[in-house]
């Protein structure tokens, strides 16, 4: 296990934090985070993307680093391709929530928009009795739920939203990613999700045949998906307005 340095007293987030989670592992969280990063770098103030906990291959962090040039991407990396909690447990160690939160809050001081990619799904165990849901609540982050447009997505999205609803209200949007070879349900999932999760916004992202794991490719893809990414990124509410919703 490799850990970033930490240890400063608890800070308060000064930037807007957008947490990218998913209905499962390997649903496209890194792709969506990198596309949002590429989009935001050309339109927002200072922005950074982090993958606090990673395991196995480190190609995901390389894309973030190439896009933004920041060296710190991970708080901890695990060589085995397992959930962080599972790896640490087998090593006789556990990751604490407080040090991770302190590190994330430190990173939030360095930008105006912080994109945080979760590990696995919303309730995947990350460390000693905490999940991405706990981090989202503590960070008061907005949430992007990444889901694949395939059979089963209605149930998967509703389960994630039910878990989110167990905590204080948080701004939430859904990124519905098209499959390379769509099944029959892909024809109806988008309209059904709109009906089921209203007023939460569902944004479709088309399948990108030519997407390659490098910054140039992600910048080009982000330009093609400009409108969808703008919706997915959303905007902060002005002061003294309702805590949910968008403004033009």
């Amino acid at each position: 296990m490799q850990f970033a340095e930490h240890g400063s007293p608890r800070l308060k987030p000064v930037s807007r934090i957008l947490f990218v989670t998913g209905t499962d592992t390997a649903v496209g969280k890194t792709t969506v985070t990198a596309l949002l990063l590429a989009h935001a770098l050309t339109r927002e103030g200072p922005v950074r993307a982090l993958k606090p906990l990673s395991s196995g291959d480190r190609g995901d962090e390389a894309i973030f680093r190439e896009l933004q040039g920041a060296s710190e991407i991970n708080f901890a990396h695990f060589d085995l391709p397992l959930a962080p909690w599972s790896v640490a447990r087998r090593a006789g160690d556990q990751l604490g929530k407080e040090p991770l939160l302190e590190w994330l809050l430190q990173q939030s001081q360095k930008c105006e928009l912080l994109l945080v990619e979760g590990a696995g799904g919303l309730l995947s165990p990350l460390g000693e009795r905490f999940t991405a849901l706990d981090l989202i609540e503590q960070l008061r982050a907005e949430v992007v739920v990444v889901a694949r447009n395939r059979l089963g997505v209605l149930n998967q999205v509703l389960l994630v939203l039910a878990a989110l609803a167990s905590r204080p209200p948080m701004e939430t949007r859904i990124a519905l990613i098209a499959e390379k070879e769509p099944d029959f349900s892909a024809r109806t999932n988008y309209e059904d999700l709109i009906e089921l999760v209203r007023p939460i916004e569902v944004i479709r992202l088309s399948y990108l045949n030519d997407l390659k794991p490098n910054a140039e490719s992600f910048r080009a893809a982000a330009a093609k998906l400009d409108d969808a990414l703008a919706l997915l990124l959303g905007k902060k509410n002005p002061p003294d307005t309702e805590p949910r919703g968008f403004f033009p």
Side-chain angles (χ1 to χ4, degrees), residues 11-20 46-50 52 101-117 135-144 170-173 233 236:
L11 302 168
K12 293 183 178 180
V14 296
S15 64
R16 179 183 173 209
I17 301 176
L18 187 65
F19 199 106
V20 180
V47 56
R48 291 189 63 193
L50 305 175
L101 280 171
E102 287 180 8
W103 182 80
L104 285 167
L105 291 169
Q106 286 175 13
Q107 304 309 309
S108 77
Q109 312 297 305
K110 303 175 183 179
C111 57
E112 294 179 11
L113 172 63
L114 183 65
L115 304 172
V116 181
E117 181 193 344
L135 297 180
I136 289 166
E137 180 180 12
Q138 292 293 312
L139 294 169
R140 292 174 288 176
E142 299 173 49
V143 184
V144 169
M170 55 199 76
E171 189 71 62
T172 303
R173 293 175 286 282
L233 191 61
K236 288 183 67 176

Side-chain angles (χ1 to χ4, degrees), residues 64-79:
F64 293 171
R65 192 169 288 112
E66 188 180 354
L67 280 166
Q68 67 190 3
S71 58
E72 263 192 309
I73 306 294
N74 300 138
F75 173 77
H77 175 77
F78 307 90
D79 293 329

Side-chain angles (χ1 to χ4, degrees), residues 25-42:
T25 191
V27 292
K29 296 188 301 297
T30 298
T31 296
V32 169
T33 306
L35 287 170
L36 287 172
L37 176 62
H39 173 87
L41 282 168
T42 63

